[in-house]
Amino acid sequence: MSPKSIAILGLLVCGVSHAQPATLKDAFQGIFRIGAAVNQSQFDEKDARGDSIIAAQFNTISPENALKWESIHPRLDSYNFDPADHYVAFGEKNKMFIIGHCLVWHSQVPRSVFQDDKGAPLTRDALLERMHDHIRTVVGRYKGRIGGWDVVNEALNEDGTMRKSQWLNIIGDDFIAKAFQFAHEADPKAELYYNDYSLENEAKRKGAVELIKKLKAQGVPITAIGLQGHDKMDWPTAAQQADTIEAFAALGIKVNITELDVDVLPRTAPGNSADVSATSAGGSGSNPYTAGLPDAVQQALAQRYAELFKIFVKYRASITRITFWGVTDGDSWLNGFPVRGRTNYPLLFDREGKTKPAFTSVISTAKEVK
Ligand code: GLA
C-alpha cells in the first residue's frame, strides 16, 4: 500500500474506532473561547480530576479568588503573589487565554484600604494613589501574560444608579475611569472589562449602558462588558438575554459571559441577586436534591443550557468568551450561596467529573453553525 493510502486508512480507522468525544473548546473553536473559573487546588495541580477536565475542555481560565484584592494584597504593605503566580503559570502551561479577576470591587477587599493609619477615611487623593499602586503592581507583574482584566466589578445597584461603595464615596464616580486608565498604563495591550451581575434586568442594564457610553465618550479604553451570568432556570428570559447582548454590542464593545452557572435549587429570597452579601437562611424544602438530581430536572437543565447557548451562538459576532464559574458541580459557590450547605447542580460536569446531559446539549448548539 502506498504511504498515502496508509494515511487515508489510518484516518478512517481512527475516525471510526477511536473517535474522541467532542470537547467544549473544540466544538466552539472559531465561535468563542470557552473557560472556567479555577480554584487553588486546580491551578496547583492537586485536583487530578478537575485538572484533566480543565486541560481537555477549556481554552481560557479565570481565578476564582487568587487575584482578588484581599488574596493578593492582604495587608497594605505586603502582597501575596504565590497563588497568582501559580495560576498564571498553570494557564501558560495549558496555552490558555488568562483572565485577571478583579482589580476594583467593594467586596473581598480589606477595610484598611479605605482608612488612614488612625482608622479615619482616606482622602480622595490618597485612595487614588493606593488604587494606582495596586493596579500598577498587580497588572504590571503579569504584563503580557494575563490577557484580559476585570478592572471594575459590580459598581451598579439594581436600579441602575451607582453603588455607594467606599470607592464611590471617597473618590467620586470617576473612580471607574481612573481604574481603567491605570490598568491601561500598566499593560497597554491587555483587554479591559467592566463586569457585573443582573444586567439582564432593564433598570440595571440602562444604568450600565449609560456608564459605558460615558466611559467611551471620555476615551476610556474598555474592551468588553462582562455579563456574570449567574442564572436561574427561569431568569433571565431568552428575550432579556438577547436584548442585553444587543444593547452592549450596539455600543461598539464586545460581550463576555464571565461567570456562567444555572442555579437549579428553589429561591430562598425574592429576586435574582448574585450579590455575595445577600445570604439567606434557607428553611425546609430549600435543599431538595441531596440524594441526586431527578431526571426531569436534569433534562430541564440541559434544555435551559441549550436555550442560553443558542442565543450566545446567534450573537457570536459580538461575543468573545463564555466562562463557567467552576468546573464540576462539587466546586460551585452555589453549594454555599445564598444558603450554606446545599447540594446544587449548576455546571456541565457532575461531582464525579462526568459530563451531564447539559454538556451534550451545549455542544449541540455549536454544531448548528458549523
Ligand atoms: C461575584 C464575583 C466572583 C465570585 C462570585 C461568587 O460574581 O465577581 O468573583 O465571588 O461572585 O463566587
Side-chain angles (χ1 to χ4, degrees):
M1 233 186 300
S2 73
K4 196 173 164 198
S5 35
I6 291 174
I8 290 171
L9 187 65
L11 275 178
L12 284 173
V13 169
C14 286
V16 174
S17 63
H18 298 290
Q20 293 295 313
T23 64
L24 293 166
K25 68 179 179 190
D26 289 347
F28 290 97
Q29 188 69 46
I31 302 178
F32 32 62
R33 292 189 176 106
I34 290 276
V38 296
N39 61 35
Q40 180 152 5
S41 58
Q42 291 163 342
F43 61 70
D44 281 346
E45 301 189 79
K46 291 182 178 151
D47 173 3
R49 188 157 63 198
D51 288 328
S52 67
I53 296 173
I54 296 164
Q57 300 287 343
F58 300 111
N59 50 24
T60 170
I61 49 171
S62 299
E64 196 172 350
N65 287 301
L67 276 96
K68 290 174 180 171
W69 194 309
E70 69 174 10
S71 309
I72 199 167
H73 192 178
R75 283 176 306 282
L76 287 176
D77 57 356
S78 73
Y79 284 87
N80 173 30
F81 290 124
D82 236 35
D85 287 356
H86 289 187
Y87 162 74
V88 173
F90 176 78
E92 288 179 333
K93 179 177 163 186
N94 289 293
K95 302 193 168 46
M96 288 167 160
F97 186 74
I98 303 169
I99 301 297
H101 171 86
C102 50
L103 296 170
V104 174
W105 189 24
H106 64 276
S107 186
Q108 294 186 256
V109 53
R111 197 172 307 172
S112 58
V113 168
F114 306 101
Q115 299 171 342
D116 66 17
D117 50 10
K118 297 186 187 67
L122 280 190
T123 62
R124 167 182 158 91
D125 285 350
L127 185 56
L128 271 175
E129 183 44 41
R130 249 174 219 180
M131 182 209 261
H132 195 174
D133 179 60
H134 176 84
I135 293 177
R136 184 171 42 213
T137 306
V138 177
V139 176
R141 184 174 181 92
Y142 304 110
K143 183 179 179 182
R145 301 173 71 197
I146 286 187
W149 282 96
D150 287 335
V151 179
V152 175
N153 198 31
E154 304 181 351
L156 293 166
N157 294 314
E158 293 306 287
D159 65 0
T161 58
M162 297 275 286
R163 183 193 288 272
K164 298 246 170 289
S165 67
Q166 298 277 58
W167 297 110
L168 181 81
N169 292 344
I170 297 176
I171 297 177
D173 61 11
D174 64 340
F175 85 87
I176 300 180
K178 293 283 186 194
F180 275 83
Q181 182 197 322
F182 298 154
H184 187 61
E185 278 166 21
D187 187 350
K189 293 204 178 120
E191 296 187 353
L192 304 180
Y193 317 127
Y194 174 73
N195 194 52
D196 212 333
Y197 59 83
S198 294
L199 298 178
E200 296 79 4
N201 292 339
E202 202 175 339
K204 191 165 183 179
R205 183 196 318 152
K206 280 191 174 153
V209 164
E210 289 315 309
L211 172 67
I212 305 292
K213 278 188 184 160
K214 199 169 95 187
L215 294 173
K216 298 263 296 177
Q218 293 168 355
V220 171
I222 175 165
T223 318
I225 185 100
L227 309 178
Q228 290 186 359
H230 292 300
D231 292 348
K232 315 279 183 206
M233 294 294 277
D234 59 358
W235 178 89
T237 64
Q240 283 175 313
Q241 184 67 75
D243 290 352
T244 305
I245 297 168
E246 278 185 23
F248 291 108
L251 304 178
I253 55 170
K254 293 291 182 189
V255 179
N256 294 322
I257 312 294
T258 54
E259 305 185 13
L260 184 61
D261 45 31
V262 177
D263 187 346
V264 301
L265 296 182
R267 278 187 175 77
T268 53
N272 310 300
S273 180
D275 186 332
V276 286
S277 65
T279 51
S280 71
S284 76
S286 71
N287 190 21
Y289 309 134
T290 51
L293 195 61
D295 193 53
V297 186
Q298 187 77 268
Q299 297 308 328
L301 178 67
Q303 276 176 28
R304 174 64 171 147
Y305 262 114
E307 174 180 58
L308 291 167
F309 267 81
K310 277 183 191 156
I311 300 167
F312 301 153
V313 167
K314 176 173 173 200
Y315 289 100
R316 61 191 175 281
S318 308
I319 296 179
T320 44
R321 171 170 62 93
I322 311 280
T323 297
F324 293 88
W325 204 249
V327 179
T328 73
D329 285 340
D331 301 326
S332 172
W333 73 299
L334 290 174
N335 296 304
F337 176 88
V339 181
R340 286 198 179 181
R342 296 199 296 176
T343 307
N344 214 329
Y345 299 84
L347 297 167
L348 304 188
F349 299 89
D350 69 16
R351 285 173 166 72
E352 277 73 56
K354 297 204 184 74
T355 57
K356 292 161 63 179
F359 171 90
T360 314
S361 71
V362 162
I363 297 251
S364 68
T365 64
K367 290 185 183 143
E368 284 171 25
V369 288
K370 283 206 164 173

